[in-house]
Amino acid sequence: MNGTGTAKTLEAAVENITPPKAREYLKLNKSNNRSMSNTIVRSYRMDMLSYNFKLTGEPIQFDVNGVLVNGQHRMEALAGIPDDTFSVPMLVVRNVPEDAFRYMDNGLRRSTAQVAQMENIPYASTVAAVGRILYIMENYGPQYLKGGKNPTRIQILDYVRNNFELMQRASQIADGCRDLVMQSVTGACFCLFYKQSGPSAETFFERLRTGVNLTETDPVYHLRQRLIANRTRRGKLVQVDLMALFILAWKAFLHGKSMRKLYWKE
């Protein structure tokens, strides 16, 4: 299906693609496609020039609007060959659905963040990381944050879309605290805390960000100090331990309790 719900028949054919044709196809490249990897491009080009690039059935793909959605590295490699008469046979498939790139796993695997970027989701890297954490916690349990369960890209992206506004706000909060701690941890904790008390979560993270008017008995003060110390620590705390510190400080803050020390057994 394309974006309007109208079915179009896929068209597939083997084409002998020349460097000029590759350059023409690159002009049709998706504007927000993932960044080009020079290493992959060089590798493809070397294979092409040594005649080791074989017709494997892995296609160059254009969507229903004629946009190149898969194959930019191969086209870039071929476009850089100076002999315009040189050609490489490749399978070309046209009229794939607009959102087909979500399901592709060809060549250099697209990360969840890359797919989110291609879908024009703001803060793509942060929401992908936060979405993964929250999906695991909600569907498998926090014990699996250290490994054992890996949601698919589609599962993470669906989670992001279903919680879009909250994820965007969490990414903004995480960006503001990026000098203190990894954004995935801040973003995930903000989402968890916001669901308990939105206004309190906003206050908690604003005080964490600024460090203004914090007393030595304030849970936010102790969390901030631990995060600052962790930046220069040789064996830095891992994601799950950082989240545990956030949760301990948040619980004390939410219930108005003072704190003398923030401790978590790693």
Side-chain angles (χ1 to χ4, degrees):
M1 305 292 287
N2 66 8
T4 62
T6 302
K8 276 196 175 184
T9 303
L10 290 178
E11 298 176 1
V14 174
E15 298 182 11
N16 287 310
I17 303 178
T18 61
K21 177 61 72 172
R23 291 190 281 271
E24 179 183 323
Y25 283 165
L26 281 171
K27 294 178 181 179
L28 303 174
N29 194 18
K30 191 173 179 65
S31 61
N32 54 348
N33 209 336
R34 56 185 168 165
S35 300
M36 201 82 71
S37 168
N38 291 330
T39 301
I40 297 298
V41 170
R42 286 194 297 269
S43 177
Y44 278 144
R45 187 174 295 143
M46 289 176 62
D47 284 343
M48 291 174 183
L49 290 171
S50 61
Y51 298 97
N52 288 321
F53 190 89
K54 305 300 182 183
L55 181 63
T56 63
E58 182 179 348
I60 304 298
Q61 293 171 290
F62 295 88
D63 71 11
V64 292
N65 299 309
V67 176
L68 176 66
V69 293
N70 190 43
Q72 64 169 355
H73 286 86
R74 285 167 285 171
M75 292 300 96
E76 182 71 19
L78 185 51
I81 294 175
D83 182 0
D84 285 352
T85 64
F86 187 89
S87 67
V88 176
M90 297 187 193
L91 177 64
V92 178
V93 177
R94 303 179 189 277
N95 292 333
V96 300
E98 285 185 39
D99 63 349
F101 59 83
R102 291 180 58 198
Y103 308 95
M104 293 174 186
D105 187 18
N106 299 316
L108 181 64
R109 177 180 172 87
R110 288 175 171 83
S111 68
T112 304
Q114 287 171 332
V115 176
Q117 180 183 356
M118 293 172 73
E119 294 192 358
N120 295 314
I121 296 176
Y123 304 102
S125 295
T126 301
V127 298
V130 171
R132 181 181 183 278
I133 292 173
L134 295 177
Y135 187 93
I136 290 174
M137 292 186 70
E138 293 181 14
N139 290 275
Y140 306 124
Q143 68 271 25
Y144 288 103
L145 288 175
K146 289 186 175 181
K149 296 291 184 181
N150 289 303
T152 67
R153 288 173 297 176
I154 303 305
Q155 288 172 326
I156 295 172
L157 289 168
D158 284 344
Y159 184 93
V160 169
R161 290 189 200 88
N162 292 335
N163 299 274
F164 187 81
E165 291 186 4
L166 178 57
M167 297 290 284
Q168 290 301 300
R169 181 57 183 149
S171 297
Q172 294 168 354
I173 293 291
D175 187 61
C177 297
R178 65 185 181 277
D179 291 335
L180 288 173
V181 64
M182 62 183 74
Q183 290 164 277
S184 59
V185 169
T186 311
C189 287
F190 177 81
C191 290
L192 294 172
F193 302 167
Y194 191 89
K195 291 179 180 180
Q196 296 179 46
S197 175
S200 295
E202 292 280 358
T203 300
F204 179 90
F205 282 95
E206 178 61 16
R207 295 176 71 178
L208 178 67
R209 182 184 70 83
T210 64
V212 174
N213 296 325
L214 297 180
T215 67
E216 292 186 2
T217 59
D218 192 322
V220 180
Y221 168 83
H222 288 284
L223 175 60
R224 200 170 194 278
Q225 292 302 112
R226 286 295 302 269
L227 296 178
I228 291 172
N230 189 59
R231 290 186 304 184
T232 56
R233 178 177 168 174
R234 177 173 295 180
K236 289 183 170 53
L237 295 173
V238 297
Q239 185 180 77
V240 67
D241 293 325
L242 288 167
M243 291 189 68
L245 290 175
F246 266 87
I247 291 170
L248 289 172
W250 164 252
K251 287 182 177 179
F253 173 82
L254 189 60
H255 294 97
K257 295 182 178 180
S258 60
M259 179 177 284
R260 294 291 181 184
K261 182 178 181 181
L262 179 57
Y263 175 75
W264 167 252
K265 185 177 180 180
E266 302 166 22

